[in-house]
Amino acid sequence: MAVRHYTLDINLSTPVDSTSVVPGLLSIFHEQELSETIHDTNGHGYLATFVGKNGRLVVLRVHSHGLVTIDLQCHEDDNIAQLDNLLNALEKKLKVLLNGNITRIKRLPVLVRGAKVDRYWPTADGRLVEYDIDEVVYEEDSAYQNIKILHSRQYGNILVLDGDVNLAESDLAYTQAITGNGRENYAGKEVLILGGGDGGILAELVKQKPKMVTMVEIDQKVIDGCKMYMRRTCGNTLDKLRGDCYQILIEDCVPLLKKYVQEGRTFDYVINDLTAIPISTSPEEDSMWEFLRLILDLSVRVLHPKGKYFTQGNSVNLKEALSLYEEQLGRLSCPVDFRKEVVCVPSYLEQWVFYTAWKK
Amino acid sequence: MAVRHYTLDINLSTPVDSTSVVPGLLSIFHEQELSETIHDTNGHGYLATFVGKNGRLVVLRVHSHGLVTIDLQCHEDDNIAQLDNLLNALEKKLKVLLNGNITRIKRLPVLVRGAKVDRYWPTADGRLVEYDIDEVVYEEDSAYQNIKILHSRQYGNILVLDGDVNLAESDLAYTQAITGNGRENYAGKEVLILGGGDGGILAELVKQKPKMVTMVEIDQKVIDGCKMYMRRTCGNTLDKLRGDCYQILIEDCVPLLKKYVQEGRTFDYVINDLTAIPISTSPEEDSMWEFLRLILDLSVRVLHPKGKYFTQGNSVNLKEALSLYEEQLGRLSCPVDFRKEVVCVPSYLEQWVFYTAWKK
């Protein structure tokens, strides 16, 4: 059972003495049969907690620098109308008590904590966002990762890998961006997809009659979930591992890329849909960058001299991670040029950078 | 000065006895010199509050149904590394104490409360979202509304009217949607824009050499702010109230529409950019729907028989509000047909519905 957490914050234009505020609120708490405890804050403003019979908790703080915060926590099945009335009464009374001194009143949407279906999947740049998720439709732990497919009212099903929002059924913009936004002609071409287990890229490319698309996805369980619950993305492409103009290989792409390099095999397009580029820039992540550069290097080595390499970058706000990535592009065994594009992918709730690279 | 509010929630697979959890945590609180108060919850689990010398507050609850919640509140300028260490220590210890019983551990991005620059602007469908806003660049209270222009790292400047995100400099998708997504030819046409004070629609239309665009915006202060701080949206169109092929009238559109109806004047396109359709469906909002229908009715009456009426609807999730709007479209003095389209407007953080209507 979840906990509902309401907040009410009032910013003041001048510091405030709690004795001018608190007494006027007490009758509201007492009416609700909340028992009061006043805490010693060692001079850091006024702090009181109020506990109700049904386990409701209210925390009232008057910060002397000019901020009043109220927290109200209750069980999911508590009487919501009653709680709204309590908050409304507190807000109304505070407006009277602090008349003329208020610069902002803010009541955030309720925070639901510990719910069966978790709706909070922060952005890559670390912001708190609540999705309209109402159901977990698939969940598996594979040898490689935790795989969830969550249903969003507006985005359709969303694939979430190890807590990262990967792709929703609404996100054709992602697939278009990572295949060149309509500027490429895939007809008759040889294409290699690294990752891509949701089938979005594969489904779009096969419409264009390529010569052969080879997709290398390590995780059968991603494919299992997506072929059932991401059909607006993958169509029927994942139903079989081989079609007229495509094959899906369930294996690690690194040995395969090495084999292709040895064989001298090349592709007109290499599309890296493995994962976003690493966020952390700390020294212990060096090995992640090494791994990323290895994939990059092998990918460029199997690229036809006139071929193109597409990949996603990361959130446009992660400037340091993006510039480290661009540094890697300058350190490959074969020199490349690149361009980038900022794209809005609906379910990401942040602007996303995509890269195109080619041999100089 | 703001308050930083951290949360740590642990879902359990079975109900838990607090005596098996709490004693193991106490040494961590004591090390941090936090004074403990245990509250009587009348059988609603365990609840303790801990207050530190610097005003830090920790609330620890063990809900007997199988959820542990921890809240940590501190001042903005408290030692963040120390607080991270405290939360890390609590999480680590809880993992040991609850070994095998944990189904989810969730630490949300910190909630910053009462900050000078407010980053929380909930979606129309009531979800909590945090924007990457770092500066308030313009704020005015006009006779009609509160006007803010906020700077977002990824969206550029964002116009916020009475707390509603209206348009960001990133949101060409909005302007394209409300002008027909490239399917219309505005060259040589008569266009009426209702509202549109950010200048986005005007700036896009004048590129297409219309015969005349008349824009009717009631609020000079919106124009004043946008012409300074939304230039990626409006270009130089708001610098003067009259251009080669446009005029901006600072007035209420209702009397003007009535005058146009009386004069028998018509437009090839009427673009209603006034506001999103009302969210509330309660009886006391009837007057809002009356007003909306009045505007709709007058707009359709000044529409050329072959003309088109464009407007935004609302969040795709507000199904009831959208269907009430569609009901209004069936109650006009002149029968209309309509179609709708769902569009991703980058800064909205939700899918948005746009309508096109025309005379039957």
Side-chain angles (χ1 to χ4, degrees):
Chain A
M1 199 186 305
V3 165
R4 294 172 69 83
H5 186 144
Y6 298 85
T7 57
L8 166 59
D9 299 328
I10 303 192
N11 282 55
L12 305 171
S13 51
T14 59
V16 66
D17 178 7
S18 62
T19 58
S20 65
V21 180
V22 174
L25 298 176
L26 290 181
S27 62
I28 298 172
F29 293 117
H30 295 157
E31 268 166 35
Q32 301 267 340
E33 299 183 58
L34 291 152
S35 327
E36 180 183 8
T37 307
I38 296 174
H39 300 263
D40 177 8
T41 63
N42 291 287
H44 287 80
Y46 172 89
L47 167 62
T49 49
F50 301 84
V51 181
K53 284 188 184 159
N54 38 16
R56 284 182 201 162
L57 167 68
V58 182
V59 180
L60 168 65
R61 294 196 83 167
V62 182
H63 296 272
S64 40
H65 55 73
L67 175 66
V68 178
T69 63
I70 292 175
D71 290 79
L72 194 167
Q73 290 186 14
C74 64
H75 283 175
E76 197 175 22
D77 58 358
D78 204 337
N79 185 321
I80 290 180
Q82 234 176 61
L83 297 163
D84 277 338
N85 287 343
L86 172 55
L87 277 173
N88 290 343
L90 290 170
E91 180 176 334
K92 197 173 155 191
K93 190 74 184 179
L94 281 162
K95 275 185 189 163
V96 174
L97 294 167
L98 298 164
N99 181 27
N101 194 6
I102 297 176
T103 54
R104 182 167 75 230
I105 297 178
K106 193 87 184 187
R107 274 165 80 164
L108 295 181
V110 64
L111 211 58
V112 181
R113 299 169 61 178
K116 190 159 170 268
V117 177
D118 181 13
R119 292 162 61 100
Y120 305 95
W121 298 95
T123 58
D125 70 341
R127 286 175 295 110
L128 176 59
V129 292
E130 179 187 354
Y131 282 84
D132 59 347
I133 288 165
D134 52 16
E135 198 189 344
V136 179
V137 296
Y138 180 82
E139 178 159 17
E140 284 286 333
D141 283 301
S142 73
Y144 308 100
Q145 55 204 336
N146 172 268
I147 306 159
K148 285 191 187 70
I149 299 179
L150 308 172
H151 179 259
S152 150
R153 288 179 65 204
Q154 66 190 299
Y155 300 125
N157 287 334
I158 308 180
L159 175 66
V160 176
L161 297 179
D162 278 345
D164 281 335
V165 171
N166 259 244
L167 194 83
E169 288 182 298
S170 57
D171 296 344
L172 183 60
Y174 176 96
T175 306
Q176 288 174 331
I178 206 167
T179 55
N181 266 329
R183 290 181 297 263
E184 307 300 324
N185 176 7
Y186 286 90
K189 298 289 169 59
E190 287 272 5
V191 186
L192 178 64
I193 303 172
L194 309 178
D198 54 63
I201 296 169
L202 183 60
E204 287 309 308
L205 293 189
V206 297
K207 291 177 190 164
Q208 294 191 44
K209 310 282 175 212
K211 184 175 172 200
M212 175 54 73
V213 181
T214 301
M215 175 174 135
V216 196
E217 166 61 52
I218 201 167
D219 200 340
Q220 177 70 51
K221 287 192 172 172
V222 171
I223 290 181
D224 291 345
C226 292
K227 82 176 166 198
M228 282 190 288
Y229 299 113
M230 298 281 291
R231 289 192 84 83
R232 263 168 63 200
T233 295
C234 63
N236 61 5
T237 52
L238 301 181
D239 293 352
K240 291 188 242 168
L241 294 183
R242 180 171 284 275
D244 278 351
C245 59
Y246 70 90
Q247 57 173 335
I248 302 170
L249 309 175
I250 308 295
E251 58 185 271
D252 183 346
C253 69
V254 174
L256 186 73
L257 280 166
K258 285 181 176 165
K259 186 175 78 103
Y260 287 158
V261 169
Q262 274 194 324
E263 292 170 358
R265 182 152 174 207
T266 61
F267 295 86
D268 298 299
Y269 294 99
V270 177
I271 301 172
N272 178 339
D273 190 30
L274 287 170
T275 183
I277 64 172
I279 287 174
S280 174
T281 56
S282 64
E284 59 265 38
E285 301 297 342
D286 273 359
S287 63
M288 238 158 113
W289 286 102
E290 288 290 332
F291 178 70
L292 185 134
R293 199 165 66 243
L294 169 69
I295 302 262
L296 247 176
D297 204 59
L298 290 168
S299 298
V300 171
R301 288 170 76 181
V302 301
L303 199 61
H304 186 273
K306 300 210 159 170
K308 277 190 186 147
Y309 175 79
F310 290 114
T311 192
Q312 61 164 322
N314 211 317
S315 163
V316 73
N317 276 349
L318 294 175
K319 293 193 193 305
E320 201 177 347
L322 294 168
S323 86
L324 276 168
Y325 177 73
E326 289 164 27
E327 217 174 81
Q328 309 307 313
L329 284 170
R331 290 173 60 190
L332 304 183
S333 56
C334 164
V336 300
D337 265 339
F338 71 91
R339 65 180 203 89
K340 55 185 164 179
E341 191 172 9
V342 176
V343 173
C344 179
V345 179
S347 82
Y348 280 17
L349 308 185
E350 62 193 320
Q351 302 283 75
W352 211 253
V353 176
F354 289 83
Y355 287 95
T356 310
W358 57 90
K359 289 178 176 175
K360 269 186 188 168
Chain B
M1 200 185 303
V3 166
R4 295 172 69 84
H5 186 145
Y6 298 84
T7 57
L8 166 59
D9 299 331
I10 303 193
N11 283 55
L12 305 171
S13 51
T14 60
V16 67
D17 178 6
S18 62
T19 57
S20 64
V21 180
V22 174
L25 298 176
L26 290 181
S27 61
I28 297 172
F29 293 116
H30 294 156
E31 269 166 35
Q32 301 267 341
E33 300 183 56
L34 291 152
S35 325
E36 179 183 6
T37 306
I38 296 174
H39 301 264
D40 177 7
T41 64
N42 291 288
H44 287 81
Y46 172 89
L47 167 62
T49 48
F50 301 84
V51 181
K53 282 187 184 160
N54 37 16
R56 284 181 200 163
L57 167 69
V58 181
V59 179
L60 168 65
R61 294 195 82 166
V62 182
H63 296 272
S64 39
H65 55 72
L67 174 65
V68 178
T69 63
I70 293 175
D71 290 78
L72 194 168
Q73 290 186 15
C74 65
H75 284 176
E76 196 176 21
D77 58 359
D78 204 338
N79 185 323
I80 291 180
Q82 233 177 62
L83 298 163
D84 277 337
N85 287 342
L86 171 55
L87 278 172
N88 290 342
L90 290 170
E91 180 176 335
K92 196 174 157 192
K93 191 75 185 179
L94 281 162
K95 275 185 190 164
V96 174
L97 294 167
L98 298 163
N99 181 28
N101 194 6
I102 297 176
T103 55
R104 183 167 74 231
I105 298 179
K106 193 87 182 184
R107 273 164 81 164
L108 295 181
V110 64
L111 210 59
V112 182
R113 298 169 61 178
K116 190 159 171 268
V117 177
D118 181 14
R119 293 161 61 100
Y120 305 96
W121 298 96
T123 57
D125 70 340
R127 286 175 295 110
L128 176 58
V129 291
E130 177 187 356
Y131 283 83
D132 58 349
I133 289 165
D134 52 17
E135 199 188 345
V136 179
V137 295
Y138 180 83
E139 178 158 17
E140 285 286 331
D141 283 302
S142 74
Y144 309 100
Q145 56 204 334
N146 172 268
I147 307 158
K148 285 191 188 70
I149 300 179
L150 308 172
H151 180 259
S152 149
R153 288 178 66 203
Q154 66 189 298
Y155 300 126
N157 287 332
I158 308 180
L159 175 66
V160 177
L161 298 179
D162 279 346
D164 281 336
V165 171
N166 258 245
L167 195 82
E169 289 182 297
S170 57
D171 295 347
L172 184 60
Y174 176 97
T175 306
Q176 288 174 332
I178 205 167
T179 54
N181 266 330
R183 290 182 295 263
E184 306 300 323
N185 176 6
Y186 286 91
K189 300 290 169 57
E190 287 271 5
V191 186
L192 179 63
I193 304 171
L194 309 177
D198 55 62
I201 297 169
L202 184 59
E204 288 308 308
L205 293 189
V206 297
K207 290 178 190 166
Q208 294 192 43
K209 310 282 174 211
K211 184 174 171 199
M212 174 57 72
V213 181
T214 301
M215 173 174 136
V216 198
E217 165 61 53
I218 202 168
D219 200 339
Q220 178 70 52
K221 286 191 173 174
V222 170
I223 290 182
D224 291 343
C226 292
K227 82 176 166 198
M228 283 190 289
Y229 300 112
M230 297 282 290
R231 289 193 83 83
R232 264 169 61 199
T233 295
C234 63
N236 61 5
T237 52
L238 301 180
D239 293 352
K240 292 187 243 167
L241 294 182
R242 180 171 282 274
D244 278 353
C245 60
Y246 71 91
Q247 57 173 333
I248 301 170
L249 308 175
I250 308 295
E251 58 185 270
D252 183 346
C253 69
V254 173
L256 186 74
L257 281 165
K258 286 181 174 165
K259 187 176 78 108
Y260 287 159
V261 169
Q262 274 195 325
E263 292 170 359
R265 180 150 175 209
T266 60
F267 295 86
D268 300 299
Y269 294 100
V270 178
I271 301 172
N272 179 340
D273 189 31
L274 287 170
T275 183
I277 65 173
I279 287 175
S280 174
T281 55
S282 64
E284 60 265 39
E285 302 297 340
D286 273 359
S287 63
M288 238 156 111
W289 286 101
E290 288 291 332
F291 179 70
L292 185 134
R293 199 166 66 244
L294 171 68
I295 301 262
L296 249 177
D297 204 59
L298 290 168
S299 298
V300 171
R301 288 169 77 181
V302 300
L303 199 60
H304 187 273
K306 301 210 159 171
K308 278 190 186 147
Y309 175 78
F310 290 114
T311 192
Q312 62 162 321
N314 211 316
S315 162
V316 73
N317 276 349
L318 295 175
K319 294 192 192 305
E320 200 177 347
L322 293 169
S323 88
L324 276 168
Y325 177 74
E326 290 164 27
E327 217 174 83
Q328 310 306 311
L329 284 170
R331 291 171 60 190
L332 304 183
S333 55
C334 165
V336 299
D337 265 338
F338 71 92
R339 63 178 205 91
K340 56 185 162 180
E341 190 173 8
V342 176
V343 173
C344 179
V345 179
S347 82
Y348 281 17
L349 308 185
E350 62 193 319
Q351 302 284 74
W352 211 252
V353 175
F354 289 83
Y355 287 96
T356 309
W358 57 91
K359 289 179 175 173
K360 270 184 187 167

